[in-house]
Amino acid sequence: MDNCVFCKIIKRELPSTIYYEDDKVIAIKDINPAAPVHVLIIPKEHIVNVKDINESNSQILIDIHKAANKVAEDLGISEKGYRLITNCGAAAGQTVFHLHYHLLGGVDMGPKIL
């Protein structure tokens, strides 16, 4: 957890462009965007990925989705649509092992993810 890049961003040890923050989550600009709008929504509590969601921390999923709605509205993509994705494990493409969601939009992405 000490080398977790998101933990360092949350603690303000690394710079980031913050779009939204409350006591549970932070939403930041992705430094390697895959779409015109690409925001990472990250819980402040260190959770590795969705496999680590349990009865005691499941509220974070609601908090993440509420933040996604707010960010999408603020960035003007709420009405047209956006994609919300999380990767779970290395084989799924997870490279930072701290739960986070990618909010992607600002372009017609079509029906397929791959």
Side-chain angles (χ1 to χ4, degrees), residues 31-102:
I31 61 171
N32 295 306
V37 174
H38 189 164
V39 178
L40 302 176
I41 303 171
I42 308 159
K44 291 184 175 180
E45 176 185 351
H46 184 78
I47 300 168
V48 174
N49 57 39
V50 294
K51 290 190 315 183
D52 289 335
I53 296 295
N54 57 48
E55 197 64 35
S56 69
N57 64 12
S58 62
Q59 176 63 40
I60 199 64
L61 297 176
I62 295 169
D63 298 327
I64 288 168
H65 284 84
K66 286 168 64 175
N69 289 339
K70 173 81 169 110
V71 170
E73 182 72 30
D74 290 350
L75 296 179
I77 63 170
S78 182
E79 291 304 314
K80 187 170 180 188
Y82 56 93
R83 185 170 286 160
L84 193 59
I85 302 171
T86 189
N87 300 319
C88 184
Q94 186 177 7
T95 58
V96 178
F97 290 88
H98 183 121
L99 178 65
H100 61 285
Y101 281 71
H102 298 257

